[in-house]
Amino acid sequence: MARPKITVVGAGNVGATCAHWAAAKELADVVLVDIVEGMPQGKALDLMQARPIFGFNVEVAGSNDYAATKGSDVVIITAGLARKPGMSREDLINKNKEIVGNVTKEVVAQSPEAFLIIVSNPLDAMCYVAYKVSGFPRNRVMGMAGILDTARYRCFIAMELGVAVDEIQAMVLGGHGDEMVPVVSATNISGVPLTDLLPQDKISALVERTKKGGGEIVALLKTGSAFYAPAAAAVQMAEAILKDQKRVVPVSAYLRGEYGLDDLFFGVPVVLGGEGIEQIITMKLSPGEEELLQKSSAAVAKTRDDLKM
Ligand SMILES: NC(=O)c1ccc[n+]([C@@H]2O[C@H](COP(=O)([O-])OP(=O)(O)OC[C@H]3O[C@@H](n4cnc5c(N)ncnc54)[C@H](O)[C@@H]3O)[C@@H](O)[C@H]2O)c1
């Protein structure tokens, strides 16, 4: 039986780290693709040379040609630009729309049965581009954001309480932007509500730190944005699909009426398994959280409209 195959498009910080995590977990053979000549080949060869040390037995290849991606089971798209001084948000949307659109066309021609996991920003809008361009059913196109945002929230709670991070059950919903919604009413530590363990002001501070979790890292790095945790989150999504794990996780999914939203990619809890998004879970929120979610959806809808697709 052939090994599964993951293609990662964009061999920059997030893409190369996806290849690293996926290979080290022996999830699949990995193909790294980038427009920069030699760079994906060099990173792939470097990862291949780590195999004897860590003892993982999958193939990692790099290419500038999509022929190498043929027959991929999962494609993670990280290609794109980050905003530079003098560039408007509109400029970034248009540039990344073009990049993600072109990448999707190439990928789909080689792997018509693949599951697409989008990472490029602005996330929810780039999912919309990939969905429209691919023509794939909605269970096979999804965005990585909620797992990352939830991981940041869980991490900050564990640091505050001094407890094991895997005891924290939580969910961050909504668009991948400053208006994301950490669902405090559904946050518990091995069943104990967070609100029993921390006063409201401390919880509010954790929520605010989560919302600005990406920005905190950008400010520290100065030359780029986060990549270890984003790549770990994208690889967890690939793993859930390849191993049919049926994980309940937040992802950016195409909504058709769920949460009162239509024709929009938005972060919601789903069951992620061998069929991709197998189910969208409707969560009961507090009235305050409901209001925040609607506010977040308005921001995401505005960005979708800016795409003019
Ligand atoms: N969804 C999230 O939570 C999340 C988290 C982190 C980063 N991101 C986004 O992911 C993207 C990648 O981030 P990064 O830190 O890896 O950036 P990076 O600059 O390190 O890497 C991007 C790579 O994309 C490549 N690229 C550009 N155009 C391409 C094309 N047409 N075809 C193939 N490759 C192309 C570039 O050469 C570069 O190597 C950015 O848009 C970033 O904002 C999203």
Side-chain angles (χ1 to χ4, degrees):
M1 198 190 293
R3 277 190 211 119
K5 181 168 171 178
I6 298 176
T7 283
V8 184
V9 186
N13 279 338
V14 178
T17 312
C18 283
H20 180 175
W21 293 124
K25 278 171 161 282
E26 290 190 319
L27 264 193
D29 290 335
V30 180
V31 179
L32 264 175
V33 177
D34 203 286
I35 40 166
V36 179
E37 242 175 74
M39 187 265 268
Q41 292 87 340
K43 290 190 178 181
L45 186 57
D46 197 5
L47 274 169
M48 288 289 277
Q49 291 167 0
R51 296 189 314 165
I53 304 169
F54 271 171
F56 53 87
N57 282 301
V58 290
E59 303 286 328
V60 186
S63 183
N64 306 113
D65 183 344
Y66 283 85
T69 70
K70 194 174 175 57
S72 295
D73 300 287
V74 172
V75 178
I76 302 174
I77 297 180
T78 77
L81 297 185
R83 190 145 61 137
K84 299 206 176 73
M87 242 176 133
S88 72
R89 199 161 139 273
E90 184 98 322
D91 292 337
L92 182 68
I93 289 175
N94 288 334
K95 191 67 204 157
N96 282 355
K97 172 186 169 187
E98 188 189 321
I99 292 174
V100 171
N102 288 339
V103 163
T104 302
K105 249 183 249 156
E106 297 273 10
V107 153
V108 162
Q110 300 292 339
S111 306
E113 302 302 324
F115 293 87
L116 305 182
I117 299 173
I118 314 304
V119 179
S120 311
N121 274 322
L123 192 267
D124 304 287
M126 292 305 112
C127 293
Y128 194 82
V129 172
Y131 176 67
K132 290 286 175 189
V133 171
S134 67
F136 280 7
R138 68 170 178 161
N139 62 307
R140 287 205 277 131
V141 185
M142 64 203 82
M144 185 292 293
I147 296 180
L148 170 65
D149 297 329
T150 302
R152 287 176 172 154
Y153 181 47
R154 292 170 67 199
C155 169
F156 296 145
I157 294 170
M159 282 159 60
E160 179 67 31
L161 291 173
V163 301
V165 75
D166 55 358
E167 308 291 2
I168 319 282
Q169 295 289 320
M171 195 70 86
V172 177
L173 305 183
H176 185 54
D178 292 349
E179 276 146 357
M180 66 179 76
V181 185
V183 185
V184 174
S185 66
T187 308
N188 70 77
I189 295 85
S190 290
V192 182
L194 180 63
T195 47
D196 287 3
L197 299 180
L198 284 177
Q200 191 50 52
D201 60 328
K202 284 255 191 265
I203 294 176
S204 299
L206 292 172
V207 164
E208 280 313 301
R209 192 173 180 194
T210 301
K211 289 181 176 182
K212 300 191 172 75
E216 185 176 350
I217 290 180
V218 170
L220 289 166
L221 295 180
K222 297 182 185 72
T223 54
S225 55
F227 52 98
Y228 291 115
V235 168
Q236 185 182 57
M237 290 171 71
E239 183 172 31
I241 295 167
L242 292 172
K243 296 185 177 169
D244 190 21
Q245 286 177 326
K246 308 210 186 291
R247 276 186 181 275
V248 177
V249 283
V251 309
S252 183
Y254 185 68
L255 301 184
R256 275 202 210 117
E258 297 90 352
Y259 291 85
L261 301 171
D262 193 40
D263 191 34
L264 198 68
F265 271 86
F266 199 58
V268 293
V270 307
V271 178
L272 199 57
E275 296 299 321
I277 295 177
E278 298 187 349
Q279 203 185 315
I280 291 174
I281 295 174
T282 305
M283 217 171 147
K284 199 163 166 19
L285 303 171
S286 71
E289 289 162 350
E290 190 70 57
E291 201 178 306
L292 290 173
L293 209 68
Q294 292 307 323
K295 205 171 150 207
S296 173
S297 70
V300 175
K302 158 94 180 57
T303 316
R304 174 207 55 198
D305 294 344
D306 289 345
L307 290 170
K308 300 185 181 68
M309 287 184 88

